């Protein structure tokens, strides 16, 4: 642990916001990570007390850096590196609740072309609709 700072991509990887450092770098380059309200580069130093806005597959996180680490450790240690704001946690919870309430139109078994059985069912349905 160094007190002067840690590379942003290393810290995001160590804090378990991204699975690999290259994913963290790509997200930073794409503008999904803001350090103290500004876009940052992967090599930018992160210090304790900095504010980060991170957009990843889990949602949008607004966190304050509490500790620094260049090594990826257990999740329990990673959670001690940052503190998420209450507003951020509440917003993520609200979005997750809304997503559960929205209807899902994708059938879990449908991927790619229809099977022979599904084609027969579609033809039967279409013929039935034409007869009515």
């Amino acid at each position: 642990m160094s007190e002067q700072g840690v590379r942003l991509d290393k810290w995001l990887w160590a804090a378990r916001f991204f699975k690999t450092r290259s994913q963290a770098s790509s997200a930073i380059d794409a503008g999904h990570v803001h350090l103290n309200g500004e876009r940052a580069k992967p090599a930018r130093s992160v210090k304790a007390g900095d504010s980060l806005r991170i957009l990843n597959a889990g949602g949008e996180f607004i966190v304050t850096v509490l500790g620094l680490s260049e090594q990826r450790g257990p999740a329990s240690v990673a959670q001690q590196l940052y503190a998420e704001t209450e507003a951020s946690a509440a917003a993520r919870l609200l979005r997750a609740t809304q997503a559960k309430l929205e209807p899902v139109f994708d059938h879990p078994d449908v991927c790619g072309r229809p099977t022979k059985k599904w084609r027969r069912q579609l033809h039967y349905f279409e013929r039935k609709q034409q007869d009515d």
Side-chain angles (χ1 to χ4, degrees):
M1 226 191 306
S2 70
E3 293 302 321
Q4 64 267 21
V6 176
R7 282 179 58 108
L8 180 57
D9 58 346
K10 272 190 181 181
W11 188 88
L12 289 169
W13 168 73
R16 294 181 167 258
F17 283 103
F18 296 97
K19 207 169 200 174
T20 63
R21 264 186 71 189
S22 65
Q23 285 178 347
S25 270
S26 298
I28 295 167
D29 288 335
H32 299 300
V33 178
H34 287 75
L35 176 64
N36 295 326
E38 299 176 357
R39 275 184 79 158
K41 293 187 178 180
R44 180 97 182 259
S45 287
V46 178
K47 298 175 181 64
D50 284 346
S51 173
L52 288 170
R53 186 180 70 78
I54 305 159
L55 182 65
N56 66 7
E60 183 179 11
F61 296 84
I62 300 172
V63 299
T64 303
V65 178
L66 299 179
L68 302 175
S69 177
E70 291 186 350
Q71 295 179 342
R72 187 174 171 105
S76 58
V77 174
Q79 289 174 347
Q80 295 174 356
L81 297 177
Y82 62 91
E84 185 176 10
T85 63
E86 290 182 20
S88 170
R92 276 189 317 106
L93 182 63
L94 179 66
R95 279 193 292 275
T97 305
Q98 288 173 343
K100 284 182 183 177
L101 294 176
E102 291 177 357
V104 178
F105 297 106
D106 294 333
H107 194 281
D109 295 336
V110 176
C111 58
R113 296 176 59 180
T115 63
K116 191 171 184 178
K117 180 180 179 182
W118 279 50
R119 273 198 312 276
R120 284 189 195 127
Q121 290 174 344
L122 284 169
H123 291 304
Y124 174 76
F125 178 75
E126 288 171 355
R127 276 186 258 134
K128 191 174 181 183
Q129 293 296 320
Q130 289 174 357
D131 293 340
D132 290 341

